[in-house]
Amino acid sequence: MGLRSRKAALPDPAAFPARPYDLVKEFTIALGVVALLTAGLAAVFSSPDVKPVTLASWSRAAGGDFTATAVAELGGTSATAGYGPPYNHTPGAAQKLGPVGLQSAAGVRIPVDTANDFVLRPLADTPEPPGVRVALAAWAAAPASRQQAWTKAYSDALAKSPGGDPAKVANGDYGPVPVLTSRLLDLARSGALDGELQAGGNFYQTDYTRPLLFLSDGSYLESLARAEHLGGDQWGMMNETGNYPGQAWLWLYTFWYQIEPFKSSGNADALVWGLMALLSLGLMLVPFIPGVRSIPRWTRVHRLIWRSYYREQEAAPGARKSEG
């Protein structure tokens, strides 16, 4: 009897009104609205579409800086040439965390020889005039001491020339360096050098490591970054180009680079990495650290967040008492 009454109490689906529903139409409208909203919000709030900086754009905009950087790469005096792992085996260049050389632990995984990779090989791999081939042969035949003397003399002369213009460098004993760097500048301005450094013997040109290293050794890329407030002392890690907000969650990582002793330390990257690892470990272990794990209970912030729940709990006993 009870089972029959329960079945009788169930509503009859046929008793409810029905209307046609076009799922495809609904999906199409929703898709169109979302697409319009996405395009509109992206146009108003997205980051500016800044053109990429390439070796070609750099050499055309600042030929003197490009030439000076090429000389430093050729002479092995650039930042990349002395960076250490993972690019080369420069003694004492690796950053350390105390006695532990974190940078050296993984070793040289992306070997970079700045003279060969950035200057000599691109020139040797492209059809060159006879004068360039003679310059390459003269460079290869000279001892290392002679090569360094040439690059140092030409680098000093470039620094003294008006505006750093290679065409206004005073006469001197620079060996084949002016011919090599002049041809490399022409190669960069044509756009061929970007492809040469990206290829690296691979079919797909997707490895931008070497072009980026070459760019970072000059002052042109840094000047563009600082103009957009992207320098290291401008909290650049968490900024986007222009005045647009970036990844605000990176502030804790970037903060340490703005204060001492990290700000002036040659081991800043290793020290900040170690500190962030320690803070992350501490955050993971909060439930197990005596005193720290009790802070929420002492501050009672949770009661403020869940105040509606606690109000209901405090009111419940009085309500039951009045009902009784």
Side-chain angles (χ1 to χ4, degrees):
M1 185 67 180
L3 181 61
R4 290 179 181 177
S5 63
R6 282 197 298 273
K7 286 185 177 180
L10 292 176
D12 183 8
F16 293 94
R19 64 177 182 178
Y21 182 79
D22 192 336
L23 182 61
V24 175
K25 180 181 178 180
E26 188 80 10
F27 170 78
T28 304
I29 294 174
L31 181 63
V33 171
V34 171
L36 289 174
L37 283 174
T38 302
L41 293 174
V44 176
F45 297 108
S46 66
S47 299
D49 185 14
V50 180
K51 292 183 178 180
V53 181
T54 63
L55 298 177
S57 63
W58 172 27
S59 59
R60 293 166 188 162
D65 181 55
F66 177 90
T67 301
T69 306
V71 175
E73 307 291 13
L74 192 58
T77 59
S78 66
T80 299
Y83 188 85
Y87 305 124
N88 44 59
H89 295 282
T90 305
Q95 294 193 24
K96 295 181 179 180
L97 187 59
V100 181
L102 298 175
Q103 192 174 336
S104 301
V108 176
R109 298 176 291 102
I110 311 173
V112 174
D113 181 340
T114 58
N116 286 312
D117 291 342
F118 296 163
V119 182
L120 301 176
R121 184 183 56 79
L123 292 176
D125 287 349
T126 55
E128 299 296 345
V132 177
R133 291 199 297 269
V134 171
L136 286 170
W139 177 269
S145 59
R146 188 61 176 156
Q147 293 173 347
Q148 292 176 356
W150 284 335
T151 55
K152 185 180 185 308
Y154 193 55
S155 179
D156 293 341
L158 275 173
K160 296 176 182 178
S161 68
D165 189 351
K168 299 177 181 179
V169 171
N171 295 327
D173 182 14
Y174 312 127
V177 175
V179 176
L180 297 176
T181 55
S182 175
R183 176 54 183 161
L184 191 73
L185 179 62
D186 293 339
L187 201 64
R189 285 174 171 170
S190 70
L193 186 59
D194 285 285
E196 282 285 336
L197 296 191
Q198 288 177 35
N202 299 320
F203 179 78
Y204 294 106
Q205 298 183 8
T206 56
D207 186 357
Y208 292 88
T209 301
R210 285 171 174 78
L212 284 174
L213 290 175
F214 196 174
L215 275 166
S216 67
D217 285 335
S219 60
Y220 178 71
L221 183 63
E222 182 179 1
S223 66
L224 294 179
R226 297 196 67 81
E228 297 287 356
H229 304 285
L230 299 176
D233 57 350
Q234 299 171 313
W235 298 73
M237 186 181 295
M238 58 178 290
N239 295 335
E240 291 187 28
T241 52
N243 296 321
Y244 289 74
Q247 300 83 355
W249 54 270
L250 283 172
W251 77 267
L252 181 59
Y253 203 103
T254 307
F255 166 77
W256 303 109
Y257 287 93
Q258 318 305 318
I259 63 174
E260 299 293 351
F262 310 100
K263 185 177 181 179
S264 59
S265 174
N267 285 326
D269 293 337
L271 293 176
V272 171
W273 179 88
L275 179 60
M276 290 301 297
L278 185 63
L279 291 176
S280 301
L281 181 62
L283 183 62
M284 294 170 58
L285 298 178
V286 162
F288 307 99
I289 303 176
V292 176
R293 66 186 181 189
S294 302
I295 291 177
R297 179 167 53 85
W298 294 338
T299 58
R300 300 172 70 83
V301 175
H302 63 284
R303 294 187 67 89
L304 178 64
I305 298 173
W306 300 100
R307 54 187 178 276
S308 59
Y309 168 79
Y310 283 104
R311 276 200 300 264
E312 293 174 0
Q313 292 297 307
E314 292 171 356
R320 285 196 295 269
K321 184 176 180 180
S322 61
E323 289 175 1

